[in-house]
Amino acid sequence: MPHLTYSLDDGLATLVLTNPPQNRIDPQMATELAEALDAIGRSSARAVLVRAEGPDFSFGGDIVDWPDTDVRELRALFEHYMQVFNQLERLPVPVIAAVHGLCFGGGLELALRADVIFAADTARFGHPEQTLGIVTLLGGIYRVAERAGRARAAEWALTSEQVPARVMADAGVVNRVVADDALVAEATAFARKVAEGPTRAHAAHKALLRAWAVGGVSAADEAMFDIAMPLFATDDVKAGLDSAVKAFKAGLPRPPVDFRGR
């Protein structure tokens, strides 16, 4: 059975983890995720929604074979996982994660690749790695630090505590906490809304945030106009500016723009 499914509907790509109850991340799931991301990259998708089937989002890596695996083979495996997860993170379209139940280890590291995280009210997050004597292998601790600060990231990694969704939201890791039974509907509605927006501008904002994450404000300033100016040649910006100027000259409210992602 597949561990992950992919579908595309009117500009919204949906990735669903389909290996319940724990949706463990293993080589098969990573392969299927890579294939789905390649397909999304070639498609007309303008946003991506990541969610899961079963009672929990994901318990993280499938550790069953790790004790009997050579360290060099483990490194190659984890490097592959990292590459695939980063492929999701670097998609030039908004990525939204809808998290319910337990979201631990590699599952949390997968969710952290999203630009926006919706969480069910009863969802819980955590880094269980220290209970195994290892670290957050796919970049979890510093991606939490990027959102919540070093102090929170260190505390959660050192203790492996289960952190409620609302605490994660207060810390800035999770964007929105919604009722459990409304999670998929609200996350999907948000994803569809951004999918209808200026896709090229969304990609530019993601690129600016990446430049900032790597080199701070100065690096983002340096990259700004190389990233921003090509937008003025796009159909979306031409339509948006033309509509805004006409409304201003006529003394009318600015009408919504039917962005096409071009």
Side-chain angles (χ1 to χ4, degrees), residues 113-215:
R113 263 54 179 199
D115 302 297
V116 175
I117 301 175
F118 277 66
D121 189 59
T122 60
R124 287 175 289 162
F125 300 77
H127 298 299
E129 287 84 359
Q130 71 88 29
T131 65
L132 303 173
I134 60 176
V135 301
T136 56
L137 291 162
L138 303 181
I141 185 172
Y142 43 85
R143 281 178 172 80
V144 169
E146 185 180 32
R147 295 175 182 232
R150 178 171 178 165
R152 287 295 189 103
E155 176 185 348
W156 292 335
L158 292 173
T159 62
S160 291
E161 65 179 288
Q162 295 185 14
V163 185
R166 294 196 179 276
V167 175
M168 294 293 266
D170 289 344
V173 178
V174 165
N175 294 79
R176 301 189 188 185
V177 179
V178 301
D180 287 38
D181 59 2
L183 174 66
V184 173
E186 294 202 22
T188 301
F190 180 87
R192 290 198 179 282
K193 180 179 179 179
V194 296
E196 295 172 354
T199 308
R200 297 278 294 276
H202 292 334
H205 274 133
K206 291 187 67 166
L208 287 169
L209 284 171
R210 177 161 298 283
W212 165 78
V214 171

Side-chain angles (χ1 to χ4, degrees), residues 76-91:
L77 178 66
F78 299 147
E79 287 178 342
H80 175 57
Y81 288 174
M82 179 77 86
Q83 184 274 324
V84 175
F85 278 29
N86 287 350
Q87 188 178 353
L88 173 64
E89 184 176 54
R90 293 170 186 173
L91 284 173

Side-chain angles (χ1 to χ4, degrees), residues 190-247:
F190 180 87
R192 290 198 179 282
K193 180 179 179 179
V194 296
E196 295 172 354
T199 308
R200 297 278 294 276
H202 292 334
H205 274 133
K206 291 187 67 166
L208 287 169
L209 284 171
R210 177 161 298 283
W212 165 78
V214 171
V217 170
S218 294
D221 281 349
E222 187 69 22
M224 169 61 76
F225 298 112
D226 288 338
I227 293 171
M229 298 315 296
L231 294 174
F232 285 86
T234 65
D235 292 344
D236 279 349
V237 169
K238 291 176 182 178
L241 285 175
D242 184 62
S243 173
V245 170
K246 286 180 177 178

Side-chain angles (χ1 to χ4, degrees), residues 45-100:
R46 297 170 62 188
V48 178
L49 174 67
V50 182
R51 61 179 183 85
E53 291 183 351
D56 299 302
F57 183 79
S58 175
F59 273 43
D62 186 349
I63 67 172
V64 173
D65 294 330
W66 293 5
D68 298 319
T69 304
D70 180 83
V71 171
R72 290 173 296 182
E73 293 179 11
L74 279 176
R75 175 170 179 153
L77 178 66
F78 299 147
E79 287 178 342
H80 175 57
Y81 288 174
M82 179 77 86
Q83 184 274 324
V84 175
F85 278 29
N86 287 350
Q87 188 178 353
L88 173 64
E89 184 176 54
R90 293 170 186 173
L91 284 173
V93 297
V95 177
I96 296 88
V99 177
H100 70 284

